[in-house]
């Protein structure tokens, strides 16, 4: 559990505040234009058993783990990340989350476009592309279809196409 973690109620208020940030507004608008509107009930604060800040689940929406977020910026980042996953799921009718290459691609895009690996956040952790690769491999490690070398092989196979795909943005933010 994060130090100074939030209750579900506090986290739900922080989720509502995140809707006013330009990036979250932009992503919600793009999802709506793509035919996948996400209302306020698409986002839910929950208490999580796994050490994650949040997740996107097709058909369920975005879950934020109130016990692993501390500040508003944490909540904003989780929502941005998960909205990029939702956008990928929306625009790719055949996105198969169990397929290691598909999963790698959406993780590459999410980590590259969310700003989580932005240079300001990465000063102590390394460079942006190294950060994206590290985070993708960490995410793939929990996918039972991506064990051993298949995670690294999938990441390499889709890297160029997925890293350079900046939709719904004109360029990487």
């Amino acid at each position: 559990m994060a130090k100074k973690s939030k209750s579900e109620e506090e986290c739900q208020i922080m989720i509502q505040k995140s809707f006013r940030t330009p990036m979250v507004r932009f992503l919600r608008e793009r999802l709506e234009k793509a035919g996948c509107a996400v209302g306020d009930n698409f986002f839910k604060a929950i208490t999580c058993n796994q050490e994650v800040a949040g997740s996107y689940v097709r058909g369920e929406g975005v879950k934020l783990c109130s016990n692993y977020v501390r500040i508003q910026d944490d909540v904003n980042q989780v929502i941005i990340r998960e909205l990029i996953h939702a956008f990928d799921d929306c625009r790719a009718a055949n996105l198969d989350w169990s397929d290691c290459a598909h999963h790698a691609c959406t993780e590459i895009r999410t980590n590259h476009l969310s700003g989580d690996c932005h240079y300001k956040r990465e000063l102590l952790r390394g460079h942006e592309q190294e950060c994206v690769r590290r985070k993708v491999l960490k995410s793939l490690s929990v996918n039972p279809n991506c064990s051993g070398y298949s995670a690294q092989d999938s990441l390499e196979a889709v890297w160029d196409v997925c890293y350079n795909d900046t939709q719904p943005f004109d360029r990487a933010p």
Side-chain angles (χ1 to χ4, degrees):
M1 188 162 351
K3 289 181 182 175
K4 298 184 181 178
S5 65
K6 302 295 179 189
S7 70
E8 289 179 12
E9 295 78 20
E10 291 170 314
C11 186
Q12 200 66 44
I13 291 167
M14 294 168 86
I15 290 169
Q16 295 298 317
K17 284 183 183 176
S18 76
F19 296 162
R20 295 191 294 256
T21 65
M23 180 84 95
V24 171
R25 278 198 330 259
F26 174 84
L27 288 166
R28 290 181 75 186
E29 287 168 9
R30 290 306 182 271
L31 275 157
E32 190 167 326
K33 285 183 180 178
C36 299
V38 293
D40 292 359
N41 62 345
F42 187 77
F43 305 88
K44 183 169 173 67
I46 61 171
T47 301
C48 297
N49 295 326
Q50 292 181 301
E51 196 171 324
V52 296
S55 62
Y56 164 74
V57 178
R58 177 186 287 151
E60 293 181 29
V62 173
K63 310 288 186 218
L64 268 88
C65 298
S66 62
N67 50 327
Y68 289 103
V69 295
R70 301 173 323 276
I71 59 174
Q72 186 65 48
D73 187 59
D74 292 344
V75 172
N76 296 349
Q77 278 302 118
V78 171
I79 289 179
I80 289 165
R81 289 179 45 78
E82 303 312 326
L83 283 173
I84 294 169
H85 280 315
F87 180 83
D88 286 353
D89 200 34
C90 175
R91 74 176 179 153
N94 64 345
L95 181 62
D96 180 357
W97 290 89
S98 65
D99 181 297
C100 200
H102 287 206
H103 189 176
C105 187
T106 192
E107 290 295 343
I108 289 167
R109 287 179 30 73
T110 296
N111 285 292
H112 177 52
L113 300 174
S114 69
D116 198 37
C117 286
H118 190 270
Y119 74 93
K120 288 179 184 174
R121 295 178 191 277
E122 273 302 292
L123 284 174
L124 301 174
R125 293 186 282 187
H127 298 291
E128 195 265 353
Q129 286 191 16
E130 292 169 14
C131 170
V132 171
R133 289 175 183 274
R134 182 179 68 247
K135 288 175 165 276
V136 168
L137 290 173
K138 183 178 179 187
S139 291
L140 293 178
S141 72
V142 298
N143 183 335
N145 300 306
C146 300
S147 60
Y149 292 108
S150 73
Q152 183 70 42
D153 291 347
S154 295
L155 181 146
E156 296 303 332
V158 300
W159 177 264
D160 288 338
V161 169
C162 298
Y163 187 83
N164 291 308
D165 177 0
T166 61
Q167 289 300 313
F169 306 98
D170 295 331
R171 59 179 170 75

